[in-house]
Amino acid sequence: KAGVTQTPRYLIKTRGQQVTLSCSPISGHRSVSWYQQTPGQGLQFLFEYFSETQRNKGNFPGRFSGRQFSNSRSEMNVSTLELGDSALYLCASSLTAGGWEAFFGQGTRLTVV
Amino acid sequence: KQEVTQIPAALSVPEGENLVLNCSFTDSAIYNLQWFRQDPGKGLTSLLLIQSSQREQTSGRLNASLDKSSGRSTLYIAASQPGDSATYLCAVDSGGGADGLTFGKGTHLIIQP
């Protein structure tokens, strides 16, 4: 079966612009989480969605937002991009809420110039 | 706040050796612990998931153990191969998915042919 699909794979944006990343979870999975990975900070939790509701958000500014659709697909948006937002953004899907195994996509590499 | 530490940060061994990667966490109230593998520039591949009620899990040449009371997990790799070269990440779920996974910084493993 198909894994977690993230699009696009690579993005180059200019400071001040906004960007939207997409994540399609494994078929049947209803929980989607987003993470930011940088060389300095490692992997950090952004937010988690289940049944179209954001259950929690990590320690990131309000410029980072997301949503989940009724088909469990999720998008995350970053507004007013800063150089420090350059990172690998990873999406993970789980069957449902409550401590199930997480499966990750290949990520979107965002470069802000 | 949960913190996850992985030791060593880097490891280089000749092919064929058995090796152990270590992971420690500060809060023993966890739902599960998951080991991942990450190849350069790629997403995360799930290796093993240990639920909080379990002591160990095995998959092929990999064996992971969990000691919740001491806040430790180990990943044992038997008969290492050059294809095992990657970064290995340990992640803890402390909130049933709602708070995301808390990751260690990883162990960068190189298996010399």
Side-chain angles (χ1 to χ4, degrees):
Chain A
K1 65 182 178 184
V4 179
T5 303
Q6 291 188 245
T7 57
R9 289 294 311 279
Y10 303 92
L11 267 178
I12 300 176
K13 290 287 188 179
T14 304
R15 272 182 302 175
Q17 287 187 313
Q18 76 164 17
V19 67
T20 299
L21 312 182
S22 179
C23 172
S24 294
I26 292 171
S27 178
H29 283 198
R30 295 170 56 200
S31 172
V32 174
S33 301
W34 288 89
Y35 296 82
Q36 182 195 65
Q37 186 176 31
T38 58
Q41 299 296 319
L43 274 147
Q44 294 184 286
F45 169 70
L46 279 159
F47 25 65
E48 191 258 0
Y49 287 90
F50 175 71
S51 292
E52 302 178 63
T53 301
Q54 184 183 95
R55 292 206 295 161
N56 215 338
K57 183 175 180 179
N59 188 24
F60 281 84
R63 300 185 296 107
F64 291 81
S65 63
R67 58 178 176 170
Q68 186 180 34
F69 302 96
S70 59
N71 62 357
S72 295
R73 190 177 72 85
S74 177
E75 289 182 346
M76 68 163 280
N77 184 77
V78 188
S79 62
T80 318
L81 284 165
E82 301 176 359
L83 295 179
D85 296 333
S86 295
L88 181 66
Y89 290 88
L90 291 161
C91 164
S93 81
S94 298
L95 185 62
T96 184
W100 291 81
E101 187 172 6
F103 296 89
F104 281 76
Q106 290 298 296
T108 293
R109 171 73 64 185
L110 173 64
T111 302
V112 182
V113 298
Chain B
K1 177 190 167 189
Q2 181 74 268
E3 292 181 3
V4 179
T5 303
Q6 291 188 245
I7 294 173
L11 183 63
S12 181
V13 300
E15 180 178 4
E17 285 201 4
N18 303 321
L19 53 98
V20 175
L21 308 182
N22 296 292
C23 170
S24 61
F25 46 96
T26 54
D27 186 349
S28 61
I30 65 171
Y31 280 74
N32 62 52
L33 183 145
Q34 203 166 347
W35 282 94
F36 296 91
R37 163 190 176 135
Q38 186 175 33
D39 294 287
K42 305 285 189 178
L44 277 60
T45 299
S46 178
L47 297 173
L48 290 164
L49 170 74
I50 311 177
Q51 298 288 357
S52 61
S53 59
Q54 298 174 319
R55 293 294 298 237
E56 67 178 327
Q57 281 286 343
T58 298
S59 176
R61 296 182 292 108
L62 303 179
N63 175 277
S65 67
L66 174 64
D67 184 342
K68 257 185 34 170
S69 60
S70 67
R72 294 174 188 270
S73 176
T74 60
L75 178 67
Y76 175 84
I77 302 177
S80 58
Q81 303 171 357
D84 295 331
S85 298
T87 296
Y88 289 80
L89 293 153
C90 165
V92 171
D93 181 353
S94 303
D99 300 323
L101 298 173
T102 302
F103 282 86
K105 292 291 177 69
T107 294
H108 181 53
L109 176 64
I110 296 175
I111 307 298
Q112 307 153 10

